[in-house]
Amino acid sequence: MAVKAMYDYTWPSRSAAELYGDDQLVHVWWRGNPYFVSAQTFRFPKAMPFGALVNDVLKGFFTADPDFVPESLDTAAWKVDHEDLVPDLEASLEANGVGHKSLLEFSL
Amino acid sequence: MTVPAQKPARKLSMKQRYTALTHDLDWTPTYVKEEEVFPFTTFEGIKVHDWSKWDDPFRLTVEAYNKYQAEKDRRLYAVLDGFAQSQGQLGLTEARYMNAMKIFLQGIPVHEYNAHRNFSYLARYANGPGARFAALCQSLDELRHAQTEIHTLSHYNKYFDGMHDWHKWTDRVWYLSVPKSFFEDAQTAGPFEWLIAIGFSFEYLLTNLLFVPFMSGAAFNGDLPTMTFGFSAQSDESRHMTLGLEAIKFMLEQDEDNLPIVQDWLDKWFWRGYRLISLVAGMMDYMLPKRVMSWKEAFELYFEEQMLNGLFKDLEYYGIRPPRHVDWAIGEKEILSHQVYWILYQYSHAAAFTTTIPNAEDQEWLEKAYPETWPIYKQVVWDKAQRVMDAGGRYFNPGLPQLCTVCQIPMGFTEPGDPLTQCQRQTVYEGERYDFCSDGCQWIFEREPTKYRQSWLPVHQIFQGNCGGPTLPDVAAWYGLQPGDGAEYLGSPDHQAWLEWHGQTTKEA
Amino acid sequence: MSVAAESRPVGVDIQENEENRALVEAIEADNDDLTIRHMPGMIRLTKNGQLVINQASVEARLGRPWETHEFQLAIITYFGEFVEWDDDQIIIAWKH
């Protein structure tokens, strides 16, 4: 539905992909663990290898939960935008299908 | 009319005075067209055939308005003076009580002022004199509320952190984008939608939940000034509720084509307002050291009983049904405050209020108020937070939360019937993904995607480099936060000062 | 299913203080089957059908003239509709 207005109402998104250059926003969600009250939003290079995301960022980040075992991420089940994902750790986020404002979900 | 003999006879009855001072002062323009004088009341599609049918049941005139508002202010300022002179802040239940007032000061007065602006605009641009005069009174009320709230709480600013830069925070700090986006959404709509948004959905349906249990809570926690301004403001609110009810009934009675438009707005603004006041749920159940009632009980009393079983049965006559997604709201009453406070707890290092783990007494109350759901959250989150605390740490979320595009609250709300799995909704619009916390917010986006894709989402703005820099200290500096404004309550400057005032030390406590 | 207006509750919350004692007593006297609930700082009065406030009853208890406009100083909130607000009487009820 169009916005009812007295003029032609079109305004751009305040979070469009082009505002982030070679990077993009990604929401990382640890499903079933409300200790992190919501999914976390990060800004990552599109070209970042999936393995670097897991090993260099997430394994450290989630240690804020005292029960988190970093190695458990090695066997996590992943989904991107609600679809199952078997990540290629060498390939980039983009090549793994992780786009701007994608929801990257894992379960342990 | 009959006039008792002992009283001086009035020249006019109340009804006549009201008519004389509103309708009788109106005129029909002759040398300009009506749509030139009132250009903003047609584009929304609401059809009005007879503006003279809009009446104010309060039958207020300027004379009566001034007389009673002046008396309200006299009473309020007498209380403020007495409280300040007697060092009333020492008699609060606890310093942590102030956190609820900090959020109130940061989030509310500036929007009272915005409401003042928009009702001024209605006082000029509504076609009918009844609507214009009621809007004028409300416009003055809202200005008075902004001033009395700021004035009342300014006393506490002398003694507590977290109150010094509310006017700056309101435009910048992440959780304050929630009320800001709500009011700006309403202000950028047309005049009829504004009336359904603020006049009806917010004032009539929902503000009781903000003011009544909360101000009664202030009374219970030794906060006399807040109780007084709250009840004083709320007495005006009765008139605002009346304006809101008059507005919706007027639209529905004027033309049956208005029904679907009004229902749609009602569906939207119920959910917008409900999500906004979820902050109140967290404040009521977790931030008041002494509670009058739980969020759940207040919701049942002031929303389910009064509105669903009272008001909506009345509106059924016009073909109005209860708001869309109301069942979702009812389903959340057992868990809402737990989830909101858990959000506030883990991000309070980037906020202008402090939080702390509910103490033994709080937990006992929570257990009693929420026997089904409190034990779940205690086990899953609070026991863990306590373990971190016992080990000498304090759990703050090290990152930034995913935000809902519409309500802008971190997406910590859960799927219906599943208190541990956060709700994730996504919509792709013109090739871009947008995130929502609930079916309600997603539905609102999909009605008007070109409006909500402009959301100024604090997390996204930080990542775009628009908020002072990439690190937490950069952002906190840009927010204007000072040490002591946020983070953990225990050991905070407010807590230490409180103990000193009462002859204790942190060590003893 | 619609529940008739006469059997649905309406109500009003009033600040509980000395000023308003006469008002509350007048409401109690003029409205049968009133439900009263005390909360800190306030008193909540509810009743099925309609709730009436009579100027004469308030004045008799207050011992001074009382305009119905003065009710605005006492009220915190209400539910129902002001179907009448005149010199001598205020009535809260549902219309439908």
Side-chain angles (χ1 to χ4, degrees), chain B residues 10 14 57 59 68 204 208 212 216 234-235 241-242 249 297 302 306 309-310 314 316-318, chain C residues 2 8 13 19 37 39-40 42 44 67 69 75-81 84-85 87 94-96:
Chain B
R10 284 193 184 282
M14 197 166 156
R59 300 210 171 105
Y68 290 106
Y204 197 102
N208 282 325
V212 182
S216 197
Q234 191 66 27
S235 67
M241 290 166 70
T242 303
K249 289 198 165 184
E297 196 189 349
Y302 285 104
Q306 295 189 177
N309 298 332
D314 188 276
E316 226 175 64
Y317 170 84
Y318 300 97
Chain C
S2 182
R8 301 204 313 273
D13 293 6
E19 283 279 321
R37 176 174 176 171
M39 288 188 247
M42 58 185 271
R44 180 179 160 85
E67 291 184 340
H69 271 315
I75 184 172
I76 295 167
T77 184
Y78 71 101
F79 66 111
E81 194 167 346
E84 189 54 85
W85 190 313
D87 290 296
W94 295 111
K95 278 189 183 156
H96 305 290

Side-chain angles (χ1 to χ4, degrees), chain B residues 40-334:
Chain B
F40 305 121
T41 42
T42 50
F43 77 91
E44 295 173 276
I46 291 291
K47 295 177 186 164
V48 176
H49 304 287
D50 183 1
W51 275 95
S52 76
K53 290 282 188 288
W54 184 312
D55 265 327
D56 168 21
F58 274 73
R59 300 210 171 105
L60 211 53
T61 59
V62 173
E63 180 211 10
Y65 179 82
N66 288 346
K67 180 175 166 188
Y68 290 106
Q69 296 306 104
E71 179 59 25
K72 285 180 190 178
D73 266 17
R74 263 194 299 277
R75 291 182 184 184
L76 172 63
Y77 281 92
V79 169
L80 298 191
D81 277 349
F83 191 82
Q85 284 179 337
S86 67
Q87 300 292 298
Q89 73 281 356
L90 296 174
L92 297 172
T93 43
E94 253 189 87
R96 73 181 163 115
Y97 161 78
M98 266 295 118
N99 285 307
M101 286 307 120
K102 291 172 192 178
I103 297 178
F104 189 93
L105 175 67
Q106 296 157 15
I108 300 297
V110 74
H111 301 302
E112 302 270 18
Y113 183 74
N114 282 333
H116 151 71
R117 290 169 59 202
N118 232 64
F119 277 105
S120 296
Y121 149 84
L122 275 183
R124 159 62 184 86
Y125 284 110
N127 303 49
R132 283 201 301 272
F133 189 69
L136 179 65
C137 291
Q138 181 155 353
S139 166
L140 293 172
D141 291 340
E142 304 289 5
L143 187 59
R144 186 177 87 87
H145 295 178
Q147 291 171 340
T148 54
E149 285 161 9
I150 294 162
H151 204 145
T152 300
L153 291 166
S154 68
H155 175 72
Y156 292 121
N157 183 38
K158 297 173 192 164
Y159 303 98
F160 297 97
D161 287 325
M163 303 185 115
H164 50 89
D165 273 311
W166 55 269
H167 48 297
K168 186 190 214 176
W169 298 332
T170 213
D171 282 326
R172 297 189 176 196
V173 179
W174 59 276
Y175 56 97
L176 299 173
S177 78
V178 176
K180 181 179 162 77
S181 70
F182 174 89
F183 278 94
E184 289 181 349
D185 189 356
Q187 281 184 283
T188 49
F192 286 110
E193 184 176 347
W194 163 268
L195 280 166
I196 295 298
I198 303 301
F200 181 73
S201 303
F202 194 63
E203 301 273 9
Y204 197 102
L205 283 186
L206 296 167
T207 43
N208 282 325
L209 281 166
L210 171 62
F211 273 95
V212 182
F214 208 59
M215 296 310 157
S216 197
F220 216 28
N221 286 280
D223 185 2
L224 194 61
T226 299
M227 179 206 78
T228 311
F229 89 62
F231 286 163
S232 177
Q234 191 66 27
S235 67
D236 298 338
E237 227 66 44
S238 314
R239 235 177 323 100
H240 305 171
M241 290 166 70
T242 303
L243 174 66
L245 191 57
E246 188 63 27
I248 191 170
K249 289 198 165 184
F250 176 75
M251 289 181 220
L252 294 169
E253 282 167 5
Q254 281 295 311
D255 198 299
E256 61 187 28
D257 288 351
N258 294 340
L259 173 64
I261 305 176
V262 170
Q263 179 74 55
D264 223 37
W265 286 338
L266 176 60
D267 290 346
K268 168 181 169 182
W269 287 99
F270 160 71
W271 189 259
R272 288 289 270 133
Y274 166 71
R275 267 291 178 256
L276 171 65
I277 60 166
S278 67
L279 289 170
V280 179
M283 287 153 76
M284 271 177 74
D285 286 345
Y286 283 85
M287 289 182 152
L288 301 183
K290 284 173 78 177
R291 292 111 169 147
V292 176
M293 60 171 74
S294 66
W295 163 261
K296 181 187 163 203
E297 196 189 349
F299 186 84
E300 286 170 349
L301 193 63
Y302 285 104
F303 187 74
E304 290 184 77
E305 185 188 317
Q306 295 189 177
M307 297 307 157
L308 292 181
N309 298 332
L311 171 71
F312 278 96
K313 304 285 182 219
D314 188 276
L315 294 177
E316 226 175 64
Y317 170 84
Y318 300 97
I320 288 282
R321 51 162 176 72
R324 202 183 280 256
H325 304 116
V326 70
D327 290 337
W328 187 304
I330 294 169
E332 278 186 343
K333 68 187 175 188
E334 292 267 1

